[in-house]
Amino acid sequence: MRAVRVDGFGGPEVLALHEVPEPEPGPGEVAVQVEAANVIYLDTLIRRGLAREFFPIEPPYVPGSSVVGRVEEVGPEADPSLVGTLVLSETEKGGYAERVVVREDGLLRVPDGLSPHDALALLVDGATAMLLERSSRFLPDTRVLVLAAAGGAASLVVQLARLAGSRVIGAASSAEKRELARALGSVETVDYSAPDWHDRVREITGGAGVDVVVDGAGGALGASAFSLVADGGRFVSYGTTDGEIIEIDEAEASRRRIESVGLFDIQREETLGRNDLARLALEEAREGRIRPHVGMTLPLERAAEAHRALQERRVVGKVLLVP
């Protein structure tokens, strides 16, 4: 079978297509014929060797964290009736491949009424968005600033905040991304690449700032957004564009009664597992309350192009690879 492999850390060019042996399912495992593999920004950080503190993955490895496809073979102790079933699964050994082996107990069925690509777009980012929604405590008329608002998880957060009655300001760097943020429910949008974007947020909020910042950008951009949180507000950070974990001035946060939480803090406090959160997102989509936006679909052999587009922030929405 074909699979994309990283043989050494580096730029997108290190992603190369190889012929490799087909994996065989062991006890409690199933083999899935991949219809699409998820590509997330974290994949680009791991490929560059920038996330080794939290994801100790060493080359050679096959990238990718989740797939959608049909079960074509089951191992011992797995349910044979699963053969032919359209399923979603996170992967432990990479997803940029034509076939993967995953645990039976980690499978989710694609709900009726959802396309395989939309369902896959909701597996990882949907679970993250539900986690952020539960932590952000959106309420009617809450003023919410969402950074990188056209991204996979952030675009879902925009919709979840809107459903709660919050007033969302979507921050994004291009006109196309801001247009999507508006279409998904942002009442206002700002260009965070503009030098006066802080002033624009303050103008929108009448000088008060926002009650909640949901930060998927991290780094200097995320840190600068902290100043826009009103006293007594909440700063929720879950992502990074450069591998650097955001550092918040704890003394200022305490003085202004701002609660600052990161993704690992949220995950420790959450009682639901990843699959349970994904099920919530899939149900929201099945009912038509939220929708993912798949902005780029490429064949496996163009994995480098997919990474380059993500790294250069040119993608509006999700990126998927199709074997």
Side-chain angles (χ1 to χ4, degrees):
M1 72 169 190
R2 301 182 308 157
V4 175
R5 197 171 67 207
V6 172
D7 289 330
F9 293 128
E13 68 279 356
V14 303
L15 294 161
L17 198 63
H18 293 268
E19 288 287 339
V20 301
E22 287 193 351
E24 297 298 327
E29 295 180 331
V30 303
V32 174
Q33 188 69 30
V34 176
E35 293 191 13
N38 193 19
V39 184
I40 60 176
Y41 194 83
L42 177 60
D43 295 348
T44 73
L45 298 177
I46 293 172
R47 187 206 72 233
R48 287 180 277 170
L50 298 179
R52 296 164 82 179
E53 181 181 355
F54 302 103
F55 300 92
I57 299 171
E58 297 292 333
Y61 72 93
V62 174
S65 61
S66 57
V67 299
V68 64
R70 292 194 181 274
V71 176
E72 63 175 9
E73 185 180 355
V74 302
E77 302 170 22
D79 182 359
S81 71
L82 286 170
V83 173
T85 304
L86 187 60
V87 297
L88 299 159
S89 181
E90 296 197 35
T91 59
E92 295 180 357
K93 298 179 180 179
Y96 297 8
E98 292 180 320
R99 172 176 159 125
V100 299
V101 165
V102 296
R103 296 286 307 169
E104 178 190 8
D105 56 16
L107 297 178
L108 290 176
R109 293 175 184 260
V110 174
D112 293 339
L114 279 186
S115 74
H117 286 189
D118 281 353
L120 178 59
L122 288 162
L123 179 58
V124 174
D125 285 332
T128 298
M130 297 306 299
L131 191 66
L132 294 168
E133 186 263 349
R134 290 160 67 87
S135 177
S136 299
R137 304 168 190 167
F138 301 133
L139 295 170
D141 295 324
T142 298
R143 298 162 300 188
V144 180
L145 173 64
V146 180
L147 298 185
S155 63
L156 299 171
V157 170
V158 168
Q159 297 172 71
L160 291 167
R162 177 209 63 198
L163 287 170
S166 297
R167 297 180 58 80
V168 182
I169 303 170
S173 59
S174 73
E176 186 179 7
K177 292 178 179 179
R178 293 192 297 277
E179 181 179 348
L180 176 62
R182 282 191 292 271
L184 295 178
S186 298
V187 295
E188 298 280 358
T189 62
V190 295
D191 178 358
Y192 61 56
S193 67
D196 63 344
W197 78 276
H198 280 206
D199 295 334
R200 176 66 181 136
V201 172
R202 292 190 179 97
E203 177 186 346
I204 292 169
T205 61
V210 295
D211 302 300
V212 181
V213 167
V214 182
D215 165 36
L221 179 61
S224 72
F226 179 76
S227 67
L228 295 170
V229 182
D231 290 359
R234 192 163 175 81
F235 185 89
V236 181
S237 182
Y238 70 96
T240 175
T241 58
D242 55 11
E244 294 296 323
I245 302 300
I246 188 170
E247 294 187 7
I248 295 299
D249 186 331
E250 297 297 338
E252 181 184 357
S254 177
R255 178 178 59 81
R256 296 178 53 205
R257 296 173 289 105
I258 295 173
E259 189 172 3
S260 175
V261 294
L263 183 59
F264 293 112
D265 301 318
I266 300 169
Q267 290 173 330
R268 280 195 297 269
E269 296 171 0
E270 179 55 57
T271 57
L272 293 181
R274 294 285 298 179
N275 270 9
D276 292 325
L277 291 164
R279 285 189 185 93
L280 292 177
L282 290 165
E283 180 61 20
E284 290 289 308
R286 193 185 69 80
E287 294 290 336
R289 290 189 287 266
I290 63 174
R291 62 181 175 89
H293 180 81
V294 178
M296 180 179 286
T297 303
L298 295 171
L300 273 181
E301 57 267 26
R302 293 169 66 183
E305 183 180 336
H307 272 226
R308 191 172 290 109
L310 269 177
Q311 199 169 318
E312 295 173 358
R313 317 301 290 179
R314 291 188 282 108
V315 181
V316 181
K318 287 296 304 172
V319 181
L320 304 179
L321 293 176
V322 180

